[in-house]
Amino acid sequence: MPQASRTPSCPASMSLRQEVTPEHLLGRVTSAFWTLQYAAAPIGAAVLAWAAETQGTTPVALTAGAACVLLAATAWFTPIRGAGRS
């Protein structure tokens, strides 16, 4: 199920990177993106598991969900949203 939840964001993320990155840097930027994303995942999982153990699953899940919504709302108002429009 975690893979299915990422499905809508993957094409959008790839499209945005391809649109705003100069062609000669695209391979490097994509490589750095995936490296950082996969390196951070186990750290986040460990922190959330520890927090759920100490604080309980409900408050941790609500906090993580609120953080995701806040991040999405912040991204909605960034200038990058209009990148590539003429």
Side-chain angles (χ1 to χ4, degrees):
M1 189 56 129
Q3 198 69 7
S5 65
R6 285 188 5 194
T7 301
S9 65
C10 289
S13 173
M14 280 194 285
S15 297
L16 178 62
R17 268 195 323 275
Q18 290 174 355
E19 189 172 319
V20 299
T21 304
E23 190 172 336
H24 68 282
L25 295 175
L26 189 56
R28 291 179 184 189
V29 170
T30 300
S31 172
F33 173 83
W34 286 113
T35 300
L36 292 172
Q37 181 175 353
Y38 283 122
I43 296 167
V47 169
L48 286 176
W50 171 80
E53 184 178 324
T54 59
Q55 304 297 319
T57 55
T58 301
V60 172
L62 291 173
T63 302
C68 289
V69 170
L70 180 63
L71 183 61
T74 302
W76 186 265
F77 295 105
T78 63
I80 199 74
R81 194 169 154 261
R85 294 186 185 159
S86 300

